[in-house]
Amino acid sequence: MTNINRQFLLASRPVGMVNETDLEYTETPIPEPGAGEVLIRTTYLSLDPSMRGQMENRADYVAPLQIGDVMRAGGTGEIVASNNDKFPVGTLVQGTLGMQDYLVSDGKSAPFRAFTDVTPEEALGVLGGTGMTAYFGLLDLGEPKAGDVVVISGAAGATGSVAGQIAKIKGCTVFGMAGSDEKCKWLIDELGFDGAINYKTQNVADELDRLCPKGINIYFDNVGGEILDICLARIAMNARIVICGGISRYNAEGPIPGPKNYFNLVFRRARMEGFIVLDYAARFPEAVAEMRGWMNSGQLKQSTTVVNGFEQLPKALIQLFEGFNTGKLMVKTS
Ligand SMILES: NC(=O)c1ccc[n+]([C@@H]2O[C@H](COP(=O)([O-])OP(=O)(O)OC[C@H]3O[C@@H](n4cnc5c(N)ncnc54)[C@H](OP(=O)(O)O)[C@@H]3O)[C@@H](O)[C@H]2O)c1
């Protein structure tokens, strides 16, 4: 191995759409693990919409990054040197590894956990954070029942594609929204969705009226904005609206208008609720076990878009917001 540790640092806080120049490439020597520490070499890094918010100087459920910090990113890696008996060389780990080839950690400074029974793609995708988000968001907040009409935005992405498949497993009728005809076809042909709307070329309101004449029982929202409003206007009695994310607002400049149709929650005795998947960490094992069973029986498919090359990280982050990915987007770094 060379002695170079490639890193991307936060160079500036994005205004509007994230820019490649908001991240600065640098090379440092590979760090030496101290007492009780391990040296981790990253293998895959995950691209997540929440990274955009962490680049701003705004505290929410995680602390903001400071200019000059290594850009935060979830990932998988392998322990290549160890001064810690619990984590011998060769252990595969998953955690907040950051946009870098190597890091040292005692397990607390950069939290990680060992994994054995999943692939790196599964650890970051269907059996990782986004899969857990789909599972708990849909099941705990959405409370699906057989026959429910479920609508999912961002449906061909990491979270949406898993949420839709789980809704199908639960006997629901599932419609997805995505940004291309190819993605819509994939949702129906490969994942078994009952229908799909290309929100960029079709009239979403008209299509929902056609597909869901009795209204929407569960709306799983990944995008917010106008699509949330259109769905709010079409909820059925006692509907559940799961606020998972709002990607349409993450790169927006200026104040963001609230939903106009929220009062339908009163008329339809409905519930709209947000959540953060980290709050479910203690229950991840039960979710992984159930989802593994669905994967083994062919009911749940994992899909990933893997970009090759550490140097592609900034571009891949932008591409996430441009709809480049189908399923989970990640970069294979080594
Ligand atoms: N609550 C939680 O704990 C939690 C945890 C993880 C993720 N999330 C949220 O879940 C959502 C999905 O995250 P993910 O990791 O699964 O990402 P993802 O869906 O795999 O990737 C983002 C996708 O969003 C779509 N998109 C981009 N800009 C859009 C816009 N303006 N309007 C509509 N769609 C747009 C693109 O697909 P198209 O081609 O369809 O446009 C893109 O592929 C995000 O909002 C994220 O913040 C929440």
Side-chain angles (χ1 to χ4, degrees), residues 48-50 130 133 154 157-160 178-179 183 199-200 222-223 244-248 250 275-277 320-321 323-325 327-328:
D48 294 274
S50 59
T130 45
T133 304
T159 307
K183 288 185 180 184
Y199 74 92
K200 289 185 178 167
N222 284 312
V223 307
C244 175
I247 196 166
S248 72
Y250 295 171
F275 72 107
I276 293 291
V277 68
L320 182 70
F321 295 101
F324 171 75
N325 61 305
K328 176 70 201 161

Side-chain angles (χ1 to χ4, degrees), residues 148-152 173 175 177 197 202-220 225-241 259-272:
D148 277 347
V149 172
V150 178
V151 171
I152 299 180
T173 301
F175 301 112
M177 287 181 236
I197 301 169
Q202 292 184 282
N203 183 310
V204 173
D206 288 353
E207 288 304 305
L208 286 176
D209 285 342
R210 186 177 66 79
L211 294 169
C212 318
K214 294 185 181 159
I216 300 166
N217 300 108
I218 300 174
Y219 172 50
F220 191 100
E226 196 190 345
I227 289 177
L228 168 60
D229 237 334
I230 291 170
C231 289
L232 273 171
R234 286 161 179 80
I235 51 176
M237 198 64 85
N238 303 128
R240 284 81 69 202
I241 293 141
K260 292 190 290 287
N261 295 325
Y262 81 94
F263 214 71
N264 231 8
L265 297 169
V266 176
F267 299 143
R268 302 278 181 263
R269 289 78 157 172
R271 168 161 56 80
M272 180 156 90

Side-chain angles (χ1 to χ4, degrees), residues 191-202:
L191 301 191
F193 279 46
D194 298 281
I197 301 169
N198 180 340
Y199 74 92
K200 289 185 178 167
T201 60
Q202 292 184 282

